[in-house]
C-alpha cells in the first residue's frame, strides 16, 4: 500500500511541477496566467495520477503507471528547456 502511495505521490508531483513549467517555457509572455491556471489544473492532474497509481493491483503495476506518467513529462521538459532557454544569436 505504501508503494502505491509513494509512486503516485512522486510521479504526481513531477507532473504537477513540470507541466506548467513546460507551458511557461513555450509561452514566456503568459507566465502569470499559466502559473495561476497551473495551480488549479496541476492539483487536479496530481490527484488523477495519484488515483491512477493507487488503483493498481500490485506494487509493480503502480510503479509502472507512475513511470508512464513521469518519464514522458521529464523527457518533454528537458527537450523544451534545452530549446527554449538556449543561447540567442
Amino acid at each position: 500500500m505504501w508503494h502505491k502511495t509513494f509512486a503516485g505521490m512522486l510521479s504526481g508531483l513531477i507532473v504537477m511541477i513540470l507541466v506548467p513549467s513546460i507551458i511557461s517555457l513555450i509561452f514566456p509572455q503568459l507566465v502569470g496566467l499559466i502559473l495561476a491556471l497551473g495551480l488549479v489544473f496541476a492539483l487536479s492532474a496530481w490527484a488523477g495520477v495519484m488515483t491512477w497509481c493507487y488503483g493498481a493491483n500490485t506494487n509493480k503495476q503502480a510503479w509502472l503507471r507512475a513511470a508512464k506518467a513521469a518519464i514522458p513529462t521529464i523527457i518533454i521538459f528537458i527537450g523544451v528547456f534545452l530549446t527554449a532557454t538556449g543561447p540567442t544569436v
Side-chain angles (χ1 to χ4, degrees):
M1 181 164 159
W2 285 106
H3 290 283
K4 294 178 188 180
T5 303
F6 188 66
M9 187 167 52
L10 182 65
S11 64
L13 286 174
I14 289 171
V15 170
M16 183 175 87
I17 293 169
L18 292 185
V19 169
S21 299
I22 292 167
I23 297 170
S24 66
L25 285 173
I26 294 173
F27 302 109
Q29 67 276 13
L30 301 173
V31 170
L33 177 66
I34 291 167
L35 294 177
L37 291 175
L39 286 172
V40 175
F41 295 118
L43 287 173
S44 301
W46 174 68
V49 171
M50 265 198 82
T51 304
W52 187 47
C53 290
Y54 196 71
N57 294 328
T58 63
N59 295 336
K60 183 178 180 179
Q61 186 182 19
W63 281 105
L64 288 174
R65 287 181 179 188
K68 286 180 187 177
I71 291 175
T73 306
I74 292 170
I75 291 170
I76 292 169
F77 176 76
I78 290 171
V80 169
F81 180 78
L82 292 176
T83 58
T85 61
T88 58
V89 179

